[in-house]
Amino acid sequence: MSSRWWIYQKSRFPIFVHGPLVLLFVASVMLFSSLQANVTPDLLRLIAAFISVLLFFAQLRIADEHKDEEIDRKYRPYRPVPSGLVSLDELSRLAWLAAALQFLVALAIDVGLVPILLAVWFYIALMTREFFAADWLKRRPAVYLLSHMLVMPLIAFYVSAFDWLCESRDIPEGLAWVLALSFGCGIVLEVGRKIRAPGQERAGVETYSAAWGGTMAIRVWAIAVAIASATCWMAVRVLSDTAWMLPAMALLIMLAALVAAYYRASGGCATAARLVEPVSGVIALGLYAALGPAQWFLA
């Protein structure tokens, strides 16, 4: 890998940061399906799903590069595209190459995956075009957030199909709760990475703390954590007794509450703001671990 692409991924799509969460997400969704049939997910299909999902997120990042080109050139000239490290044409070719690989993977695993893959691509294409209502969405950050996070349940459904569809089983019971969990975790992660201290806000950098105010943004984040935890609870109830989850859920919600309280009490200080994103990742990891690996261990 050339040094410039290595620099690009470190800056815009750090694989070693996103990779573990993506792997846990894929494993958890597939385990939720396979455990209902008292089997273990096929390793080859799990790897194939992981590769496909990682490429989805790479494509979403590339879509953002195209959407943000003008703003980046004006306000963030240090980023890889405006600085000339990589070009949009190169990124476009990379996205198409990723799509070709995803298509070949789907064909190799089960042709029935292809229609679902096409549905995810279609939604990503709509996101890239901002649903043909860019200005309207920009003025409504909440609607923008919800509309873009809907891609997460679509991706989760695609991942689950690597188990039940390929095994010619019915859609697993309670899958709707897993899709809701992916939506909730997506909001936790997205809002969490866009909360800043007042002194950290920059022109041209859209954050929820700037759009809603820090107090409202951290409140929305904490509510999203509670909702995601509740959906995880409901999903796990399909698989096993949930009594063991009480301490785990309480710890995650308490962690979010403490961070939110610290942010509000400090007036949104830089230290508190910097905590939100990594804590979001820890919470997402905890919820997906409770859904999948913990259930497999207890089975």
Side-chain angles (χ1 to χ4, degrees), residues 260-272:
Y262 177 36
Y263 182 91
R264 294 183 63 182
S266 66
C269 74
T271 302

Side-chain angles (χ1 to χ4, degrees), residues 32 36 171-179 234-235 238:
F32 181 82
Q36 292 189 44
I171 293 176
E173 180 186 353
L175 182 60
W177 289 116
V178 177
L179 305 187
M234 295 301 294
V238 176

